[in-house]
Amino acid sequence: MSQLAVWIVGAAGHVGTCTLAGWAALRAGLMPPTGLVTVGDPLGALPLAGFDEVAFGGHELRERSLAEAARALVAEGILPAAVVEHPAVAAAVAAAQAELRPGIAGSGGWDELQRIRADLAGFRDRHGAARVVVLNVASTEADPPDVRDAGALPDEPEALLAAVQGGRRLPASSVYAAAALDLGMAYVNFTPSTGADLPGLDALARARGAVHAGADGKTGQTLVKTVLAPMFAVRRLRVQSWVSHNILGNEDGRALDDPGRRAAKQRSKAAPLAAILGYAPESRVGIDYVPSYGDWKLAWDRIVFEGFGGAQMSLELTWRGSDTALAAPLCIDLIRLVELAQRRGERGALHHLALFFKSPLGTAEHRLERQWQTLLAHLLPDEAA
Amino acid sequence: MSQLAVWIVGAAGHVGTCTLAGWAALRAGLMPPTGLVTVGDPLGALPLAGFDEVAFGGHELRERSLAEAARALVAEGILPAAVVEHPAVAAAVAAAQAELRPGIAGSGGWDELQRIRADLAGFRDRHGAARVVVLNVASTEADPPDVRDAGALPDEPEALLAAVQGGRRLPASSVYAAAALDLGMAYVNFTPSTGADLPGLDALARARGAVHAGADGKTGQTLVKTVLAPMFAVRRLRVQSWVSHNILGNEDGRALDDPGRRAAKQRSKAAPLAAILGYAPESRVGIDYVPSYGDWKLAWDRIVFEGFGGAQMSLELTWRGSDTALAAPLCIDLIRLVELAQRRGERGALHHLALFFKSPLGTAEHRLERQWQTLLAHLLPDEAA
Amino acid sequence: MSQLAVWIVGAAGHVGTCTLAGWAALRAGLMPPTGLVTVGDPLGALPLAGFDEVAFGGHELRERSLAEAARALVAEGILPAAVVEHPAVAAAVAAAQAELRPGIAGSGGWDELQRIRADLAGFRDRHGAARVVVLNVASTEADPPDVRDAGALPDEPEALLAAVQGGRRLPASSVYAAAALDLGMAYVNFTPSTGADLPGLDALARARGAVHAGADGKTGQTLVKTVLAPMFAVRRLRVQSWVSHNILGNEDGRALDDPGRRAAKQRSKAAPLAAILGYAPESRVGIDYVPSYGDWKLAWDRIVFEGFGGAQMSLELTWRGSDTALAAPLCIDLIRLVELAQRRGERGALHHLALFFKSPLGTAEHRLERQWQTLLAHLLPDEAA
Amino acid sequence: MSQLAVWIVGAAGHVGTCTLAGWAALRAGLMPPTGLVTVGDPLGALPLAGFDEVAFGGHELRERSLAEAARALVAEGILPAAVVEHPAVAAAVAAAQAELRPGIAGSGGWDELQRIRADLAGFRDRHGAARVVVLNVASTEADPPDVRDAGALPDEPEALLAAVQGGRRLPASSVYAAAALDLGMAYVNFTPSTGADLPGLDALARARGAVHAGADGKTGQTLVKTVLAPMFAVRRLRVQSWVSHNILGNEDGRALDDPGRRAAKQRSKAAPLAAILGYAPESRVGIDYVPSYGDWKLAWDRIVFEGFGGAQMSLELTWRGSDTALAAPLCIDLIRLVELAQRRGERGALHHLALFFKSPLGTAEHRLERQWQTLLAHLLPDEAA
């Protein structure tokens, strides 16, 4: 009987498929745990869930099967063919395929909430799982500014659920979050969509003894920003402008070609800079959708800063990586870390996981090294002391 | 009467001249303190020496006057003409010119040590300075591996001085350090030369109640390395190779065109990487002397790292800045911070100043953010707690 | 008596001011003719107008004087202070100031045409100039697609003028062009605005014995494109994508921050690629307005191409230059070359000047080397043979 | 019966193997002819040797088989597995394996010349080939300056052969060239080694009715240089410095890690710049051997140039490509073009093939577009006219 079961919203996307196939590959020892924070020294010493015996399922809107999605990972150079075609991985993919259910798009109301709730409960019961982690890696939603407005939704969990029952619709990501948290499951939002980031949903998590973490995985350009910006801050070199461009060709890129969704992403990407520097330099964040790039994202940054005497100096960066291969190990880490938190009886938003996110819930700390220290202090207080 | 006097070894070089002219410009309010760590929040709250009433002098081998050197700063776009030509700055330059003495080249013995000692004591006495800081910004010396070999020199201060009296020669930078420390003055080594980094000289400092700090100012490419390498370490992304090239056209560049001097610099630049990552990736550090670059250094790095699934990802950086304008504010910070340490009765190597150096004495900590925290904990223990 | 007089539309802009101040600086021998095609071997052998004795005037919408504009060139690092403050240059700037007249914005009708015509004729007569060149370096106009539609305007010059008299309005750039050509003057369009690129205006030029050239100076990113794209074409390396971004902070950049004007510029910048390659790769051209960049434009390109065996290869470029310092020598070249053409009795669009333009009139040849050969063959037929 | 047979010196290297496997893949229609100049419009119209029925053989010093070498092409991402494992390609590799003979290293004398001659004649006779092309893609030789000194070797072919018979040794590449040309075969030198570039060997080629071409394939950084440098020349923008660095990890890189061999390569890479610009800017060409780069070469260039008014502007480039996949199609083109030249009765060095080489024999023309026009004019005189 599995202790842990994982439900992926957007399971047949690149990140979802790579997360579950990667989990199986790690279990079978087919590749090293490169990019995982929870393996090796020091976090490997924690009593985290092992890679054995975890059931995967998920919601999906697309037609394509997980097997097709896994083959796409090979075609795009994300995972080696020898890994994806290995019987252990193929079996895990097939098992998860049997647990795929149709997802919801855009927004949902009471009926959708009940259906998602039933899907999650059924999954948990079929696998007799003690704990379920629900991971959102579905496409970024268009920005729905109204639900986040003060007073737009009740802050009390029961009132919020009543409002939905009474006809109020929520963004799809929040419907999944509400269903998971209401069932006492853990919820991780790896996207900039709303998810559990509503006062009523955080309160729901606390009421049901559930935990949640988010938002928007810090995988590439923003990761680099949150180590470079502190350098300028510490050395008091004044950043005049920071121009960022991204080229990407995957489904995420296609979604972000939509101006509404792009706005949500851009806001998430721009915020850390001012927070770290203490002032807002001239800043641009551009996203170009160029299909032939596939999953291999290119991020370009050009920073102009002022030095002693006022002369302009510059730093220019080009980062090239597989968006999926950068995200998947963080998803695996998050599954293990929220499961541990839930097992230890924590409740609500997990602030110590800020390291993983562009828009960390409940903290203004964006500096990577400080986030890392916060994580260590929370998880390994004796060592950190 | 000045409380603090500053002696610059290599005073008429770009960094020396910019440090003393910059100090005068800050005193006169001619430019903002961009790039200074010791101004503003939080270190500005310390009882540091103000910019008023500090005497400058120094040793120099070159023929050119400080006034010529100051004009060169304008010609190379390091300081604005309006700053250098301002009467307050011109007066400071002229005052320092009157305190210039001929330096020593290569190495020195007992006679040179006595002469340098006399120069320093005379400077202190003429200005009635309570504390003198000696700052080494002379050209990098060729690597003298023998003096650093175990047993090459006595570890006891009096035995070391006796050996020199008996004919043992020291690298020039160590002669300056010995003279300063023997007089109880503070010594800062902003270069990769040997300076005070000999057991006998550290012991001399402790015996005389003097402090010292070094080595090799962390101004550009290495600064960036010490914030980027921790990112790869925290996220457990395996760095396969890190290739660095530098193009520079100033006197520092000409000196480094000599293979022996270049070796010292390259070692200083390469060490932090392995220390932070915990393993040594394939690494190259090249230095090209291209005179038309003048003081505007170009540093290029290309890092290849392995992600989840084994695919190669990359990060490429180009950093362009005035070598001098990056170094001078750190020199000013160091003068103020070692003066404070000496006033507070500290002795020997100042480990809390690692933030400023490529090869910090007495610590293996190269991560910028951690060095910053160490500095804060040492200087502002109440806030850091 | 001057043989040649030059009228600049947008005279107090960076390019206009740098063109006239640069002309005076060349006349006074204050700086070398770097960036000029018409000086030195081989084009210097042509009987081109010398730098002596040329009168400058122009239209302008802005309030600021040419003297202020010239000081701005120094402040932005485009021309040295010693050049701009030299009496010979200052005198030339003052003389041109006396010939400044208010320009027109947006579009114009019969009244504006008559006024512009009178301004130009008066300027010619006051200076007794045998030939006048009118140079358009005003801000890019918003795209007016209708006037370029087939049948939108009469193709016959007299019918076109009659239509304007009857109430038809033209883009401002075309009003200037119509006035100049109607007077038999030469017209150069250094911008992507419509200018003389209307069938009726080209016919007007032929009817009046006037010449014209354009459009949109090829100064930076597109210049590089038109030498790199032929390389891929010759070697049959298939370009999959070509992503271009520009960062600029000058008035041109502010104008292009307007989506309509940006569209005109983007179309002009994108066309050469497909023309040279023979197919259209995925392509993006972005323009970011970042005021602190001032006149120093940054262009970034990333090209992905497919090699033998299908693997993706890449070329990434960063170009940094002063937009104005790149444009002004081309403007000077064009003034001299159209004056020569007019003196030699040529008529209509000058196809041999394609080298200078992003959207050359009357030719689909964008390859720089071929354009250079065309220029040589036209101007020096004996040598080219 | 084959009309054409191809002998590759260094057959089991990456380029040699990719050339013969690629030839077979093109014959079988397994991949498109990307990167080939001789396919498609306009050169495809020439009566070139088809891809059918060509025998391959070669000399090799390494132990590894061609099959192993072919697998390495897949492992390094140069050719797809589906191509290399295809029966048609595997058969071609096996057939060439049967024609592999041990090569010579360093230098050779009369005995080696006789042995190589016998190997080549035997190969020709076994396949009844009307024409044989010998292609040198062996590792770059250390620079042997003496053989190129004036008077070091006889200029007359028979005297040169007599000198070798009398004990004079030649660089290995020249031994191969002498054997090939003496037999009336065509010789192509794709490396910077000496090869046929000795007056006596060129005379031998003319005497025997043989053709030869070289030297040093223009595949990447130099290719880009020879399109960019003409841009600066045409626009009269003065290049102050051009710094180039290369990172490569293949066997070529290991060979170039030897200072003597590197000197030969660097000279070959630096020459085109001064030839095109007409003056020599400050220039550096660095080569870093970093094994983990494998065949994927990274070339970085930074060019600083002076514009109108004297301000420094810059262009920075990063080129990333598979060294082998860039070279192999050029080798295939060269085989076809020298075979055609020989069939048409040409003799000696083929100047019209300058397009393919860093150090083209018999011409100072390095500009790619002009080389392309020269090629077209020679091969398709009617169209070029």
Side-chain angles (χ1 to χ4, degrees):
Chain A
M1 188 182 91
S2 297
Q3 288 300 302
L4 168 61
V6 177
W7 187 266
I8 302 179
V9 180
H14 274 17
V15 178
T17 307
C18 190
T19 297
L20 68 88
W23 189 288
L26 291 168
R27 180 169 54 200
L30 303 177
M31 57 189 220
T34 308
L36 269 86
V37 173
T38 54
V39 174
D41 185 53
L43 296 188
L46 293 167
L48 294 160
F51 291 115
D52 291 354
E53 303 295 315
V54 173
F56 280 90
H59 282 112
E60 184 52 71
L61 285 168
R62 279 162 286 224
E63 288 292 314
R64 73 169 178 183
S65 70
L66 285 175
E68 285 172 292
R71 281 193 294 274
L73 296 179
V74 175
E76 299 223 22
I78 301 165
L79 288 183
V83 164
V84 170
E85 293 165 6
H86 188 279
V89 174
V93 166
Q97 179 70 39
E99 289 288 1
L100 240 52
R101 297 292 179 274
I104 57 174
S107 66
W110 185 250
D111 289 352
E112 288 79 7
L113 178 56
Q114 292 309 101
R115 177 164 70 78
I116 300 299
R117 214 176 167 288
D119 287 342
L120 294 177
F123 173 65
R124 178 193 58 198
D125 296 346
R126 274 192 301 285
H127 294 277
R131 278 167 299 281
V132 176
V133 176
V134 175
L135 169 72
N136 177 29
V137 290
S139 291
T140 297
E141 295 171 352
D143 219 12
D146 59 329
V147 297
R148 300 209 188 196
D149 288 351
L153 290 170
D155 287 356
E156 292 306 308
E158 303 309 333
L160 175 61
L161 293 175
V164 174
Q165 195 165 10
R168 193 63 164 91
R169 295 183 72 81
L170 298 177
S173 62
S174 299
V175 173
Y176 291 110
L181 299 172
D182 194 31
L183 287 164
M185 296 174 176
Y187 174 82
V188 175
N189 184 12
F190 205 75
T191 79
S193 302
T194 307
D197 190 21
L198 294 171
L201 291 182
D202 184 53
L204 179 63
R206 295 175 188 280
R208 300 293 188 271
V211 297
H212 65 99
D216 205 6
K218 183 156 78 170
T219 54
Q221 192 175 48
T222 306
L223 175 67
V224 176
K225 256 180 203 171
T226 60
V227 298
L228 283 174
M231 176 188 77
F232 293 106
V234 163
R235 282 291 176 87
R236 302 181 70 84
L237 297 164
R238 186 159 187 95
V239 177
Q240 291 183 337
S241 61
W242 194 310
V243 176
S244 301
H245 278 287
N246 298 270
I247 310 176
L248 66 180
N250 54 17
E251 293 175 53
D252 194 26
R254 186 164 54 227
L256 293 171
D257 213 33
D258 170 76
R261 296 173 196 242
R262 190 161 63 229
K265 192 77 177 184
Q266 285 169 324
R267 200 176 44 245
S268 185
K269 290 171 77 82
L273 199 54
I276 293 172
L277 294 174
Y279 57 92
E282 290 187 277
S283 171
R284 296 280 180 128
V285 180
I287 300 172
D288 285 329
Y289 173 53
V290 179
S292 60
Y293 270 66
D295 192 61
W296 285 81
K297 182 171 162 181
L298 201 289
W300 176 74
D301 285 88
R302 190 164 194 276
I303 307 149
V304 178
F305 58 99
E306 194 182 313
F308 189 68
Q312 285 190 332
M313 309 186 182
S314 62
L315 178 60
E316 187 178 334
L317 298 94
T318 301
W319 164 279
R320 183 176 178 268
S322 158
D323 219 20
T324 298
L326 287 161
L330 301 183
C331 289
I332 293 173
D333 283 333
L334 282 164
I335 291 166
R336 302 178 84 202
L337 291 169
V338 299
E339 191 273 343
L340 179 67
Q342 184 119 18
R343 197 170 357 123
R344 287 180 165 178
E346 302 186 30
R347 288 172 172 238
L350 299 173
H351 302 166
H352 65 283
L353 300 179
L355 177 79
F356 295 93
F357 298 110
K358 287 194 197 72
S359 306
L361 296 176
T363 174
E365 181 59 81
H366 288 279
R367 293 173 292 182
L368 189 80
E369 191 70 29
R370 300 292 179 119
Q371 293 173 330
W372 174 235
Q373 291 175 291
T374 299
L375 184 69
L376 293 181
H378 185 91
L379 293 172
L380 296 165
D382 296 338
E383 287 192 33
Chain B
M1 189 182 87
S2 296
Q3 289 299 302
L4 167 62
V6 177
W7 188 266
I8 302 180
V9 180
H14 275 16
V15 178
T17 307
C18 191
T19 297
L20 67 89
W23 189 288
L26 291 168
R27 181 170 52 198
L30 303 178
M31 56 189 221
T34 309
L36 269 86
V37 174
T38 54
V39 174
D41 185 52
L43 296 188
L46 291 168
L48 294 160
F51 291 115
D52 290 353
E53 301 296 313
V54 173
F56 280 89
H59 282 111
E60 183 53 72
L61 286 168
R62 279 162 286 222
E63 289 292 312
R64 73 169 179 184
S65 69
L66 285 174
E68 286 172 292
R71 282 194 294 273
L73 296 180
V74 176
E76 299 222 21
I78 300 165
L79 289 183
V83 164
V84 170
E85 293 164 6
H86 189 277
V89 174
V93 166
Q97 179 70 39
E99 290 288 3
L100 238 52
R101 296 293 179 273
I104 57 173
S107 67
W110 185 249
D111 289 353
E112 287 80 7
L113 178 55
Q114 292 308 101
R115 177 163 70 77
I116 301 299
R117 215 178 164 287
D119 288 343
L120 295 176
F123 173 65
R124 179 195 57 199
D125 297 345
R126 274 192 301 284
H127 295 277
R131 278 167 298 283
V132 176
V133 175
V134 176
L135 169 71
N136 178 28
V137 291
S139 291
T140 297
E141 295 172 351
D143 219 11
D146 58 329
V147 298
R148 299 208 189 199
D149 288 350
L153 289 170
D155 287 358
E156 292 305 308
E158 303 308 333
L160 175 61
L161 293 175
V164 174
Q165 196 165 8
R168 192 63 165 93
R169 293 184 73 80
L170 298 178
S173 61
S174 299
V175 173
Y176 291 110
L181 298 173
D182 194 30
L183 288 163
M185 295 175 176
Y187 175 82
V188 175
N189 185 11
F190 205 73
T191 79
S193 303
T194 307
D197 189 20
L198 295 171
L201 291 181
D202 184 53
L204 180 65
R206 294 175 187 281
R208 300 292 189 269
V211 298
H212 64 100
D216 204 6
K218 182 156 80 171
T219 54
Q221 191 175 49
T222 305
L223 174 67
V224 176
K225 257 181 202 172
T226 60
V227 297
L228 283 175
M231 175 188 78
F232 293 107
V234 162
R235 282 290 175 87
R236 302 182 70 84
L237 296 164
R238 187 161 188 94
V239 177
Q240 291 184 336
S241 62
W242 195 310
V243 175
S244 301
H245 278 286
N246 298 270
I247 310 177
L248 65 180
N250 54 17
E251 293 175 52
D252 194 26
R254 185 164 55 229
L256 293 171
D257 214 31
D258 170 74
R261 296 172 196 243
R262 191 163 59 229
K265 192 77 176 183
Q266 285 170 324
R267 199 176 46 242
S268 184
K269 289 171 78 81
L273 199 54
I276 294 172
L277 294 175
Y279 57 93
E282 289 187 277
S283 172
R284 296 277 180 129
V285 180
I287 300 173
D288 285 329
Y289 173 53
V290 180
S292 60
Y293 271 67
D295 192 61
W296 285 80
K297 182 170 161 181
L298 202 288
W300 176 75
D301 286 88
R302 191 166 193 274
I303 308 149
V304 178
F305 59 98
E306 194 183 311
F308 190 67
Q312 286 189 331
M313 308 184 183
S314 63
L315 178 59
E316 188 179 334
L317 297 94
T318 300
W319 164 279
R320 182 175 179 270
S322 157
D323 220 19
T324 299
L326 287 162
L330 302 183
C331 289
I332 293 173
D333 283 331
L334 283 164
I335 290 166
R336 303 178 84 202
L337 291 170
V338 300
E339 191 274 341
L340 179 66
Q342 185 122 16
R343 200 173 351 127
R344 287 181 167 178
E346 302 187 30
R347 288 172 173 240
L350 299 174
H351 302 166
H352 66 281
L353 300 179
L355 176 79
F356 295 92
F357 297 110
K358 286 193 197 72
S359 306
L361 296 175
T363 173
E365 181 58 81
H366 289 279
R367 292 174 293 182
L368 189 80
E369 190 69 30
R370 300 292 180 118
Q371 292 174 329
W372 174 236
Q373 291 175 289
T374 298
L375 184 70
L376 292 181
H378 185 91
L379 292 172
L380 297 165
D382 297 338
E383 285 193 35
Chain C
M1 188 182 90
S2 296
Q3 289 300 303
L4 167 62
V6 177
W7 187 265
I8 302 180
V9 181
H14 275 16
V15 177
T17 307
C18 190
T19 297
L20 67 90
W23 188 288
L26 291 168
R27 179 168 54 197
L30 304 177
M31 55 189 222
T34 308
L36 268 85
V37 174
T38 54
V39 175
D41 185 53
L43 296 188
L46 292 168
L48 295 160
F51 291 115
D52 291 353
E53 304 294 313
V54 173
F56 280 89
H59 282 111
E60 184 52 72
L61 285 168
R62 279 161 287 221
E63 288 293 312
R64 74 169 179 185
S65 70
L66 285 175
E68 287 172 291
R71 281 193 294 274
L73 296 180
V74 176
E76 300 222 22
I78 300 166
L79 289 183
V83 164
V84 170
E85 293 164 7
H86 188 278
V89 174
V93 166
Q97 178 70 40
E99 289 288 2
L100 239 51
R101 297 292 178 275
I104 57 173
S107 66
W110 185 249
D111 289 352
E112 287 80 6
L113 179 56
Q114 292 309 99
R115 176 164 70 78
I116 300 299
R117 213 176 166 288
D119 287 342
L120 294 176
F123 173 64
R124 179 193 57 198
D125 296 345
R126 274 192 301 284
H127 294 278
R131 277 167 299 282
V132 176
V133 176
V134 176
L135 169 71
N136 178 29
V137 291
S139 292
T140 297
E141 295 172 351
D143 218 12
D146 58 330
V147 297
R148 300 210 189 197
D149 288 351
L153 290 170
D155 286 358
E156 292 306 309
E158 304 309 334
L160 175 60
L161 294 175
V164 175
Q165 195 164 10
R168 192 64 165 91
R169 293 183 74 80
L170 298 178
S173 60
S174 300
V175 173
Y176 291 111
L181 298 173
D182 194 31
L183 288 163
M185 296 175 177
Y187 175 82
V188 175
N189 185 12
F190 206 73
T191 79
S193 302
T194 306
D197 190 21
L198 294 171
L201 291 181
D202 185 53
L204 179 64
R206 295 175 187 279
R208 300 292 188 270
V211 298
H212 64 100
D216 204 7
K218 183 156 81 170
T219 54
Q221 191 175 49
T222 305
L223 174 67
V224 176
K225 256 180 204 171
T226 60
V227 298
L228 284 175
M231 176 187 78
F232 293 107
V234 163
R235 282 291 175 85
R236 302 182 71 83
L237 296 164
R238 186 159 188 94
V239 177
Q240 291 183 337
S241 61
W242 195 310
V243 175
S244 301
H245 278 286
N246 298 271
I247 311 177
L248 65 180
N250 54 17
E251 293 175 52
D252 194 26
R254 185 165 54 228
L256 294 172
D257 214 32
D258 170 75
R261 295 172 197 243
R262 191 161 61 230
K265 193 76 176 183
Q266 285 169 323
R267 199 177 44 244
S268 185
K269 290 172 77 81
L273 199 54
I276 293 172
L277 294 175
Y279 57 92
E282 289 186 278
S283 172
R284 296 278 180 129
V285 179
I287 300 172
D288 284 329
Y289 173 53
V290 179
S292 60
Y293 271 67
D295 193 61
W296 285 80
K297 182 171 163 182
L298 202 289
W300 177 74
D301 285 88
R302 191 166 193 275
I303 308 149
V304 178
F305 58 99
E306 194 182 311
F308 190 66
Q312 286 189 332
M313 308 184 182
S314 62
L315 178 59
E316 188 178 335
L317 297 95
T318 300
W319 164 279
R320 182 176 179 270
S322 157
D323 220 20
T324 298
L326 287 162
L330 302 184
C331 289
I332 293 173
D333 283 331
L334 283 164
I335 290 166
R336 302 178 85 201
L337 291 170
V338 300
E339 191 273 343
L340 178 67
Q342 183 121 17
R343 199 172 354 125
R344 287 181 167 178
E346 302 186 29
R347 287 172 173 239
L350 299 173
H351 302 166
H352 66 282
L353 300 179
L355 177 79
F356 295 92
F357 297 109
K358 286 194 197 73
S359 306
L361 296 175
T363 173
E365 181 59 80
H366 288 278
R367 293 173 293 182
L368 189 80
E369 190 70 30
R370 299 293 178 118
Q371 293 173 330
W372 174 236
Q373 291 175 291
T374 298
L375 184 70
L376 293 181
H378 186 90
L379 292 173
L380 297 165
D382 297 339
E383 285 192 34
Chain D
M1 189 183 86
S2 296
Q3 289 298 302
L4 168 61
V6 177
W7 187 266
I8 302 179
V9 180
H14 274 17
V15 178
T17 308
C18 190
T19 297
L20 69 89
W23 190 288
L26 291 168
R27 180 168 53 198
L30 303 177
M31 56 190 221
T34 308
L36 269 86
V37 174
T38 54
V39 174
D41 185 53
L43 296 188
L46 292 168
L48 294 160
F51 292 114
D52 291 353
E53 304 295 313
V54 173
F56 280 90
H59 281 112
E60 184 52 71
L61 286 168
R62 280 162 286 223
E63 289 292 312
R64 73 168 179 186
S65 70
L66 285 175
E68 285 172 292
R71 281 193 294 274
L73 296 179
V74 175
E76 299 223 21
I78 301 165
L79 289 183
V83 164
V84 170
E85 293 165 5
H86 189 277
V89 174
V93 167
Q97 179 70 37
E99 289 289 1
L100 239 52
R101 298 291 179 274
I104 58 174
S107 66
W110 186 250
D111 288 354
E112 287 80 7
L113 178 56
Q114 292 310 100
R115 177 164 70 77
I116 300 299
R117 215 178 165 287
D119 287 343
L120 294 176
F123 174 65
R124 178 193 59 199
D125 296 346
R126 274 192 302 285
H127 294 278
R131 277 167 299 281
V132 176
V133 176
V134 175
L135 169 72
N136 178 28
V137 289
S139 291
T140 296
E141 295 171 353
D143 219 11
D146 58 329
V147 297
R148 300 210 188 196
D149 288 351
L153 290 170
D155 287 357
E156 293 305 310
E158 303 308 332
L160 175 61
L161 293 176
V164 174
Q165 194 165 9
R168 193 63 165 92
R169 294 183 73 81
L170 298 177
S173 61
S174 299
V175 173
Y176 291 112
L181 298 173
D182 194 30
L183 287 164
M185 295 174 177
Y187 175 82
V188 175
N189 185 13
F190 205 75
T191 79
S193 303
T194 307
D197 189 21
L198 294 171
L201 291 183
D202 184 53
L204 180 64
R206 295 175 188 281
R208 299 293 189 270
V211 297
H212 65 100
D216 204 6
K218 182 156 81 171
T219 54
Q221 192 176 47
T222 306
L223 174 67
V224 176
K225 257 180 204 173
T226 60
V227 298
L228 283 174
M231 175 188 77
F232 293 107
V234 163
R235 283 291 176 87
R236 303 181 70 84
L237 296 164
R238 186 159 187 96
V239 177
Q240 291 183 336
S241 61
W242 195 310
V243 175
S244 301
H245 278 286
N246 298 271
I247 310 176
L248 65 180
N250 55 17
E251 293 175 52
D252 194 26
R254 186 165 53 228
L256 294 171
D257 213 32
D258 171 74
R261 296 173 196 241
R262 190 163 60 231
K265 192 75 176 186
Q266 284 170 324
R267 199 175 45 242
S268 185
K269 289 171 78 83
L273 199 53
I276 293 172
L277 294 175
Y279 57 92
E282 289 187 277
S283 171
R284 296 279 180 129
V285 180
I287 300 172
D288 285 329
Y289 173 52
V290 179
S292 61
Y293 271 67
D295 192 62
W296 284 81
K297 182 171 162 181
L298 201 289
W300 177 74
D301 285 88
R302 190 165 194 275
I303 307 149
V304 178
F305 59 99
E306 194 182 312
F308 190 68
Q312 285 189 332
M313 309 186 182
S314 63
L315 178 60
E316 187 178 335
L317 297 94
T318 301
W319 164 279
R320 183 176 179 268
S322 158
D323 219 20
T324 298
L326 287 162
L330 301 184
C331 289
I332 293 173
D333 283 332
L334 282 165
I335 291 166
R336 301 179 84 201
L337 291 170
V338 299
E339 191 274 342
L340 179 66
Q342 184 120 18
R343 199 171 354 124
R344 286 179 167 179
E346 301 187 30
R347 287 172 173 239
L350 299 173
H351 302 166
H352 65 282
L353 300 179
L355 176 79
F356 295 93
F357 297 109
K358 287 194 197 72
S359 306
L361 296 176
T363 174
E365 181 58 82
H366 288 280
R367 293 173 291 182
L368 189 80
E369 190 69 29
R370 299 293 178 118
Q371 293 174 329
W372 174 236
Q373 290 175 291
T374 298
L375 184 70
L376 292 181
H378 186 91
L379 292 173
L380 296 166
D382 297 338
E383 285 191 35

